Structures are given as C-alpha cells and as structure tokens.
Amino acid sequence: MRYRIVIRHGRPRQRYHTLEVDAADLAAALVAAAQRLPPDLVATADLAEVREAPDPEGRAYLEEPSP
C-alpha cells in the first residue's frame, strides 16, 4: 500500500515536508518515513500525519460523468 506522510517542522515559522512510501502497513510506513527524513528537519519536527496516498488514476473529476 502507498502512504503519504506529512511532517510539520520548523521554528519559528512552521513548514510541511511531504513524502510517499510503499509499505505493508502503517507501522512499516512510519519506519520507512523515519529513515528518509532529512536530519535538519528532525530537530524541529513536532507532528506527523500518515494517510493512504490517493491514487491519481482512481480519482473522479467534476468534468467526468459518474458511472
């Protein structure tokens, strides 16, 4: 499964770092994300959000009729 992880970081002004990982489950996604975080971000990170990443091919658009 593909997960999107958003990390809030920075002081005094907060910013967001987004990455996507492929993992078997949420726990594995967290481990994979932790291994890919830039060191300078880790010092000021204070919040992480993990969600299933959207499938761009599976998204419906307003212009397309519903099945």
Side-chain angles (χ1 to χ4, degrees):
M1 182 176 291
R2 190 150 186 84
Y3 291 91
R4 177 173 291 162
I5 296 94
V6 179
I7 308 292
R8 184 175 70 187
H9 66 97
R11 289 188 195 115
R13 185 172 166 221
Q14 294 177 327
R15 297 180 304 247
Y16 293 87
H17 179 77
T18 303
L19 58 125
E20 291 190 4
V21 298
D22 289 310
D25 56 27
L26 181 89
L30 288 169
V31 170
Q35 293 171 341
R36 292 178 44 192
L37 291 178
D40 59 324
L41 181 144
V42 174
T44 62
D46 67 346
L47 180 70
E49 176 183 88
V50 181
R51 294 180 181 225
E52 186 177 336
D55 176 10
E57 298 298 320
R59 295 184 72 174
Y61 294 93
L62 295 176
E63 296 82 26
E64 296 178 3
S66 301

